[in-house]
Structures are given as C-alpha cells and as structure tokens.
Amino acid sequence: MKHMHAISVTVNGRAHELMVEARRTLADMLRHDLGYTGTHLGCEHGICGACTVLLDDQPVRACLVFGVQADGAEVRTVEGLADGEQLSDLQQAFSDHHALQCGFCTPGFLMLAEAYLAENGLAGSGLAGSGLAGSGLAGSGLAGSGLAGSGLAGSGLAGSSAELTEAEARELVAANLCRCTGYQGIIEAILATARARKKR
C-alpha cells in the first residue's frame, strides 16, 4: 500500500500542489512528477552531487531528501538560473571556459556554485533578494545534506569582501564529481563569475 501525502512546493517561483508517495525522493519528484529534468541522478547515494538543488536557499542532494520534506518549501533547480533563452552569467561562464563536456554533472556544479557565490554577497540576478545572500550557508545547512566537509563550511570567505581564490574554488568543487573536464574549466568559470559580479 502506498502512503501518499498532499504537499505544496514552489519550484523556481512557480507553485505546485501534488500527491507524493512518502518514500519518493525530491529528485524523483522534481523529475518525474513536475518535469524538472535538469536535476540529474548519478550515484543516488549523495556522493556525486549531480542532483544538487537549493531547498529554502540551501544546497542539498535531492537524492537524499524525501519529496514530502519539501512541503511548504522553495526549491530552485538549474532551470531557474536562465531568464528564458538567456543564460545566466554563471552558465555563460561555464560555456566560455569549457567547463562541461558531457554535461551530466553540470547542473549540480551550477547550483552549488550559485549558492556559494550568493552566500558571499555575489548573488546572480535571479537570486538577488532571495535570502541567499548572507543566509548563513556556511555551517548552517550542510550537515546531513551530503555537502558536509565540502569546503563550504569554514571557508573563510563567507561574509567577507575578499575575492574568491583558486584554492577556495578548488575546495568548493571538490564536493561534486566530474569524470570529463578535469575540473579546471569549472574552477575558472566560477572564479570569472565571482570577479565579474564583484565589479557590479
């Protein structure tokens, strides 16, 4: 017998009401019930990071969160970064710096980087005023999300005016796995976006 629950969730600013099985993961709910297929499933054990989304402004592994846990919450997926056909600056930087090949891991890296940049006062236009900037990402919602020890907590950049360093960017991307790029393009894309946003 399936245990179904009625929930309401806002995804990328759009409200949804649906019935969700108790055991269904947030990733499966987003992909199969709501059609947000940009959230990719890789290991399904919280290791690879391909399924990273923002849940109430915190990056989480969607394969480790139940859909019912998102009841009343706001979720942001990779589909929420672009403005229609216009890529976000972070997405464009990934393209410019060849930070993707097969692209399977890319949504997770994008969402992780967007959350990190926003935490440090460098939110993209779609996140401005969302509550991410200064939200206390470092050390606040990482434990149990699959991101503990990823380099976000205690990075030393949170709340500071210092520029993101390559070492910090490397520590950040170590939270997710990529089997194609060798990571350097991803690091360069994140650094370029941080520099550009700092000048705004």
Side-chain angles (χ1 to χ4, degrees), residues 40-67:
H40 292 167
L41 280 168
C43 67
E44 298 192 60
H45 291 285
I47 303 300
C48 73
C51 67
T52 301
V53 299
L54 304 187
L55 178 64
D56 283 338
D57 298 336
Q58 300 296 320
V60 298
R61 306 297 207 213
C63 71
L64 297 182
V65 177
F66 290 114

Side-chain angles (χ1 to χ4, degrees), residues 32-200:
H32 302 298
D33 298 331
L34 298 177
Y36 296 98
T37 55
T39 301
H40 292 167
L41 280 168
C43 67
E44 298 192 60
H45 291 285
I47 303 300
C48 73
C51 67
T52 301
V53 299
L54 304 187
L55 178 64
D56 283 338
D57 298 336
Q58 300 296 320
V60 298
R61 306 297 207 213
C63 71
L64 297 182
V65 177
F66 290 114
V68 293
Q69 290 178 273
D71 187 21
E74 292 190 10
V75 176
R76 193 151 190 245
T77 71
V78 69
E79 288 94 339
L81 292 180
D83 182 8
E85 296 298 316
Q86 180 67 43
L87 295 178
S88 72
D89 56 348
L90 180 61
Q91 289 174 305
Q92 187 61 55
F94 266 60
S95 177
D96 294 342
H97 292 271
H98 308 289
L100 67 156
Q101 288 185 34
C102 80
F104 190 84
C105 66
T106 305
F109 277 105
L110 286 167
M111 299 314 294
L112 182 68
E114 189 62 71
Y116 187 74
L117 291 170
E119 164 67 11
N120 291 283
L122 299 172
S125 59
L127 282 172
S130 71
L132 258 176
S135 65
L137 172 63
S140 70
L142 299 175
S145 70
L147 291 172
S150 67
L152 285 170
S155 67
L157 186 66
S160 77
S161 60
E163 288 193 11
L164 177 66
T165 67
E166 182 170 341
E168 288 164 336
R170 285 185 180 280
E171 194 172 5
L172 170 67
V173 302
N176 287 19
L177 299 179
C178 173
R179 300 180 67 178
C180 300
T181 66
Y183 296 95
Q184 189 57 39
I186 298 171
I187 292 165
E188 291 172 359
I190 294 171
L191 289 171
T193 303
R195 286 193 296 267
R197 290 184 183 181
K198 200 169 182 66
K199 292 178 181 178
R200 291 192 308 213

Side-chain angles (χ1 to χ4, degrees), residues 11-12 14 16 18 24 26-39 77-79:
V11 183
N12 300 330
R14 181 180 176 185
H16 298 275
L18 67 159
R24 198 162 184 77
L26 176 59
D28 283 339
M29 184 186 82
L30 288 170
R31 290 179 56 82
H32 302 298
D33 298 331
L34 298 177
Y36 296 98
T37 55
T39 301
T77 71
V78 69
E79 288 94 339

